[in-house]
Each structure stands twice: as structure tokens, then as C-alpha cells.
Amino acid sequence: MESYEEELCRNPIISRFLEDPENKRLYTQAVNEPTSKNKQILDEAFKHFFVRVKVIHYISRLIAGYSVDFDKRIRKNEQQLLSLDALFHNGQTTLLDMLAAGDVIKDAELVQEEDGHYEELFENEVLQQAFQELKPLQREVLVYSFFYGYRNKDIAKRLAISEQRVSYNKKRGLELLKQKVAGQTKKQGGMP
């Protein structure tokens, strides 16, 4: 059968406590001379050691928890970040390629510059005239959509409006163009 001292030494906290030479000396002194003062000194040393172990354990768990949480937030943000090397839908062009070519920035600048210069966009004079009569937002939405191929979602972000408003202005702009072109064609008595 195992002695009480051997059983105590198998406990990881007590064995760790007794690894310190000063604590080992206090333990030996309390066992060899079991006075209340020696026992009290040993108890105080063990309490101090135990509290320190608990605090270290608590801080370690906090660090581990915060590390996991931080890692999750970083990974979530990485998923939302656009990579300059990410391939677009065609599988060949990257955002970096487009930026190098200036396409993304040029599209936005050209729409702003083309406001009022639509003769370059249309060969048909009737269509050009009808387009100039549209509201500015309708013209901008149609240019982004049909000349640059942007989706409603992208146009909405660029113009800081809702997708529904983009859809409405696109639909309304096309209807007005159709009406005006049809009306002009009837007046002129021919095809556009």
C-alpha cells in the first residue's frame, strides 16, 4: 500500500509546489517538527502558490479564448476583403490586371465626363436625342448598365442608392427611350 506522502506527491499541484526548494524545506520542517507555527507557514506558502497557479491558469484561458475570438474575426474579415489577385468571373482577369489597365477607374470617370456628351455613345441621332432628354440618374444607370456592363448591385453601390431604385430607373429609362424613339420615328415616317 502506498504511503500518504507518496499519494500527495502524485497530485500535480502538490508535486509542482514541492519542486521549489524553499517549499520543500517548509514541508520537511512541518513534517519533522509539526508545530502550529510551522504548519501555518507551510499553509500560507501553499495558499500563495495555489492562488498564483489559479491566476496563471485563468489568464491562460482568457488569452486562449481571446486568441480564438481574434482569429475568427480576422478570418471573417479576410473573407470579406477583396484580393487583388482574385480571378473574376471569366477566370482569367484579376482586379490587379483591371487596375493596371485602368478599366475600373476609367469607367467611373468616363460616366462623369460623358454627361452631356452622348453623341459619342450613339450613332443614331434619334436615340441620342431621346437619351439626352432622360433624367440624369436614368442616363447614369443606363450608361453603367449597358455601356460598361455593371450589374444593378454594382451600380447601386457606386451611386449609393438601392438596387430597387437602380432597377426602377433602368426600366423607366428604357421605357422612355422606347416611347421617344417610337414617337420620333412616327414623326419622321421611317425606321430609327
Side-chain angles (χ1 to χ4, degrees), residues 34-192:
T35 65
S36 62
K37 184 178 180 185
N38 286 344
K39 289 179 184 179
Q40 185 179 5
I41 293 172
L42 179 63
D43 282 346
E44 289 299 321
F46 184 75
K47 285 178 187 176
H48 179 71
F49 172 80
F50 189 73
V51 167
R52 198 173 86 221
V53 167
K54 289 298 252 180
V55 167
I56 290 171
H57 179 69
Y58 175 73
I59 291 172
S60 297
R61 289 183 62 191
L62 276 179
I63 291 171
Y66 282 122
S67 298
V68 168
D69 184 51
F70 179 76
D71 187 53
K72 284 179 184 177
R73 282 187 276 141
I74 292 295
R75 288 175 192 231
K76 183 179 179 184
N77 286 339
E78 283 176 356
Q79 291 171 356
Q80 295 173 355
L81 296 176
L82 237 178
S83 170
L84 292 177
D85 294 328
L87 295 178
F88 279 86
H89 298 292
N90 65 10
Q92 297 172 357
T93 307
T94 66
L95 181 59
L96 190 58
D97 295 336
M98 290 177 70
L99 286 174
D103 294 343
V104 174
I105 297 168
K106 281 183 186 174
D107 287 354
E109 290 172 351
L110 288 173
V111 170
Q112 297 300 321
E113 290 174 10
E114 288 168 358
D115 196 23
H117 303 285
Y118 301 112
E119 57 274 355
E120 297 170 10
L121 297 177
F122 302 100
E123 292 177 14
N124 184 315
E125 287 182 31
V126 174
L127 188 58
Q128 177 186 344
Q129 172 94 25
F131 191 78
Q132 287 178 341
E133 293 174 13
L134 295 177
K135 293 180 180 177
L137 182 59
Q138 292 170 342
R139 289 192 305 252
E140 205 169 4
V141 166
L142 290 175
V143 168
Y144 274 125
S145 181
F146 295 105
F147 288 96
Y148 297 110
Y150 284 26
R151 297 175 301 169
N152 288 1
K153 182 177 167 182
D154 300 325
I155 298 169
K157 284 181 184 176
R158 178 159 300 283
L159 300 178
I161 59 176
S162 68
E163 285 185 58
Q164 291 82 5
R165 191 161 175 214
V166 170
S167 180
Y168 170 79
N169 279 287
K170 184 192 295 185
K171 184 178 177 182
R172 185 70 181 133
L174 289 173
E175 288 172 358
L176 291 171
L177 282 177
K178 186 177 177 182
Q179 290 172 3
K180 290 179 182 186
V181 169
Q184 287 290 341
T185 305
K186 284 182 184 177
K187 286 181 186 176
Q188 293 177 355
M191 297 294 289

